[in-house]
Amino acid sequence: MSVAEEVRRASMVVLLGLAIAATIAVSLITVNLVQVQPLRERYEEAARSVRLAHAAMIDQQTGLRGYVVTRDERFLEAYQRGKDALPTHSREATAQLADTGSMTESVVALRVAQERWLSFARPLSDSAPARTPAELKTLLDREKSLFDTYRATEATLERLVDGRRREIDHRQRAYLVAAAVATILTGVAAGAVGLRRFRRLRRSIVGPVEATIATIDRIGMNEPAGALPDAPIEFRRIASGLAGLAATLAARQTEAELNLEAARHHGERLTTILGMAREISGSLSVRYVLRAVVASAVRVSGFGQVVVWMLDEDRNLLVATGDDASALLEEPAEIGAGLVGHSARFARPMARRAGYSARQVEPDVPLDAMAFPLVVGAAVVGVVEFRATAPVIVDREALEALETLCIHGAAALEAARLHEHIAELSRTDALTRLPNRRAFDSDLHNEVERSKRYQRPLCLLMIDVDHFKNLNDRWGHQRGDEVLQEIARVLAETLRGSDTVYRYGGEELAVLARETTHAEGALLAERLRARIEKHFPEGPDADPVTASFGVSTWHEGMDTHRDLVSAADSALYQAKADGRNRVAVAAQTAATTAAVPDM
């Protein structure tokens, strides 16, 4: 007799017992499905409707409070969404629970509490006039009181529904336990009868099983599986299947090794990103952060060139940023134009491939270029562009890694840029946009040290606007501010690129003339004085504007940069004492000053 015949006879006994058990179980389950389950589903649906109606009320309250406090109409979107959804869910809950006797009162109380809050909320959603803090607090307290009343009635109803559901669940479990007990008892009886059959079946299987195990051992040692000529047909088929399984496992092993290599490569990408994040997390240098982001992006992406574009101050153009010469040659990119502009406009990765100028990035296709937005706080602050001389195929894991890289890079770049901007503001005069006294002291100290070390000439010009108080008294401080701004512009336009003009304080300015000798400094001061005098001609509607200049040059008789300032200041006072609108030059080796001759 074959194994199949033995199994068939043993199975008949077991199946007969199972049929009897199944008949009993089906009877009990039918009762459960016909009588209990519909009722349970009804309360399940009722509980769902109550929860959805409550969620709609939460949306309305959240949107309404946000709108009342901020007067931002965007909050009304959540309010309107909840308002639209509430009637449907409330009707469904009422229809499912209204005829349940004990819950009718709770349903009515819930609807009443809802309507009270809604009646209070509707006028507030139409308009949100400006209110004092006290009015706003009173309004919100009233709204919260009504909503708390609603929440209490909703919680009561939800507890009743859940309690009813638990009762029904208990009944279901009782039916299921009865069915299980009947099935087990019947199965035990059938098992006792079938046990004798299975003992006979075991004797016909042990030998072939041992032969099959030997076949498995040979497969484990990469030896041919062989055949089982004396075994039942089922075991011969098992041996053949094992041979096929061995071949399949070998193929799967190869596939697993490839996947392991891909995972290792992805791990290297993540390690690169983690290293970059650690490297830039404590840096506030834009150049340093840029270098780290570009280097990491090249390693992760496989593209040969990476360019970082940042929004300009007006947030209209994207400007290539970097410390290499190629970045300076890039033309600014407009928002919405080209690959970089599209990525910035839509705030998502874009790609360029053959036949397409800009489209959404797709994995595992050849790409000529990609652009990933740099997003901070839901705002695009820049774009990272990836370029290649030949198309590059980027898998999905690499794209996800690049998105992670851009998230970290965006935050670090924006933090560094804001830090540098704040540092620049701390060194800039707000009125004239010139470097301020802090910048002057720092630059003068550094230049004096450089002049002392390398024996290079250094000249300082101190400038004071003549009769500035009279100008303010006659024409007002606004005119005085305009005069200072104009003088600052005239000086900046006249000076060389190596010279720097500063707002020293009040109506005083200073010019640091590098690589300038004593005589050259005097000539420069006279040229600046003449330009100021010419820029503000005397007329019937305005007083003439002139300036006095004091010039000093660093020499060996000085000890610190304060000596240079003191000498120039003394020369300035001499120029003012001599009648103003003139240049006085401090002596090279003494504290006395000498007026420069007319030039």
Side-chain angles (χ1 to χ4, degrees), residues 44-54 88-90 92-93 96:
E44 286 282 357
E45 190 63 26
R48 176 179 173 275
S49 298
V50 170
R51 287 195 300 272
L52 291 176
H54 182 59
T88 300
H89 301 313
S90 295
E92 292 175 354
Q96 293 151 358

Side-chain angles (χ1 to χ4, degrees), residues 447-465:
E447 290 301 324
V448 166
E449 292 300 317
R450 188 181 72 87
S451 181
K452 290 165 60 177
R453 177 176 299 179
Y454 300 108
Q455 300 298 312
R456 304 303 304 169
L458 177 65
C459 187
L460 174 64
L461 282 62
M462 296 296 291
I463 308 166
D464 184 84
V465 181

Side-chain angles (χ1 to χ4, degrees), residues 88-311:
T88 300
H89 301 313
S90 295
R91 283 196 302 271
E92 292 175 354
T94 302
Q96 293 151 358
L97 298 175
D99 59 348
T100 55
S102 61
M103 296 188 187
T104 303
E105 182 178 350
S106 296
V107 172
V108 172
L110 176 64
R111 294 300 300 270
V112 169
Q114 282 181 344
E115 187 57 36
R116 286 178 178 174
W117 185 87
L118 292 173
S119 299
F120 180 79
R122 289 189 191 101
L124 299 181
S125 66
D126 295 335
S127 63
R131 296 182 174 91
T132 64
E135 292 175 341
L136 187 60
K137 183 179 184 303
T138 301
L139 184 66
L140 293 178
D141 288 344
R142 173 60 177 161
E143 182 275 333
K144 184 178 184 299
S145 175
L146 292 174
F147 200 83
D148 288 344
T149 302
Y150 152 74
R151 292 194 71 165
T153 59
E154 189 274 339
T156 300
L157 180 59
E158 190 170 347
R159 284 195 299 272
L160 291 174
V161 173
D162 288 341
R164 185 58 177 157
R165 285 169 55 198
R166 286 193 294 271
E167 293 177 5
I168 297 172
D169 287 343
H170 180 73
R171 289 173 59 185
Q172 277 190 318
R173 284 194 295 272
Y175 281 119
L176 293 176
V177 168
V181 169
T183 302
I184 291 172
L185 293 176
T186 307
V188 169
V193 177
L195 182 60
R196 295 178 60 190
R197 287 287 180 183
F198 280 111
R199 286 175 178 171
R200 295 180 58 184
L201 180 64
R202 179 182 179 185
R203 288 194 295 270
S204 63
I205 291 178
V206 171
V209 166
E210 291 177 350
T212 302
I213 292 174
T215 299
I216 294 173
D217 292 337
R218 288 195 296 272
I219 291 174
M221 294 183 291
N222 294 324
E223 296 179 359
L228 302 175
D230 299 330
I233 186 171
E234 294 89 348
F235 286 95
R236 292 198 297 271
R237 292 176 61 186
I238 289 174
S240 176
L242 287 174
L245 178 61
T248 302
L249 288 175
R252 293 291 176 84
Q253 183 178 4
T254 302
E255 182 181 353
E257 290 174 353
L258 294 176
N259 291 337
L260 180 61
E261 177 62 22
R264 184 190 63 78
H265 188 48
H266 186 58
E268 291 177 352
R269 295 191 189 113
L270 296 180
T271 300
T272 299
I273 295 173
L274 179 60
M276 180 206 71
R278 289 174 176 170
E279 187 176 0
I280 66 179
S281 61
S283 175
L284 293 176
S285 169
V286 172
R287 175 173 294 185
Y288 183 82
V289 174
L290 276 173
R291 287 178 178 174
V293 170
V294 169
S296 299
V298 169
R299 288 197 297 270
V300 172
S301 67
F303 283 76
Q305 183 183 8
V306 173
V307 179
V308 178
W309 301 78
M310 301 298 290
L311 282 175

Side-chain angles (χ1 to χ4, degrees), residues 391-507:
V392 176
I393 297 177
V394 185
D395 58 29
R396 188 176 303 278
E397 289 76 12
L399 294 178
E400 293 175 354
L402 289 175
E403 289 188 10
T404 303
L405 182 148
C406 290
I407 290 173
H408 290 288
L413 280 172
E414 187 66 5
R417 191 163 69 163
L418 288 175
H419 173 77
E420 291 191 356
H421 179 65
I422 292 173
E424 179 64 23
L425 289 178
S426 70
R427 293 170 54 88
T428 304
D429 176 59
L431 176 64
T432 62
R433 309 306 300 169
L434 295 176
N436 59 16
R437 175 67 177 273
R438 174 183 294 179
F440 170 78
D441 291 338
S442 176
D443 292 352
L444 180 61
H445 174 76
N446 293 335
E447 290 301 324
V448 166
E449 292 300 317
R450 188 181 72 87
S451 181
K452 290 165 60 177
R453 177 176 299 179
Y454 300 108
Q455 300 298 312
R456 304 303 304 169
L458 177 65
C459 187
L460 174 64
L461 282 62
M462 296 296 291
I463 308 166
D464 184 84
V465 181
D466 295 331
H467 302 295
F468 190 72
K469 182 178 183 304
N470 295 338
L471 187 147
N472 276 334
D473 292 342
R474 181 177 180 184
W475 302 105
H477 287 85
Q478 181 176 354
R479 175 55 182 164
D481 291 345
E482 292 173 355
V483 167
L484 286 176
Q485 290 172 338
E486 283 295 305
I487 290 177
R489 184 177 63 82
V490 169
L491 294 176
E493 291 176 352
T494 306
L495 291 172
R496 302 170 302 179
S498 60
D499 301 333
T500 308
V501 57
Y502 303 84
R503 172 84 181 275
Y504 190 75
E507 67 271 23

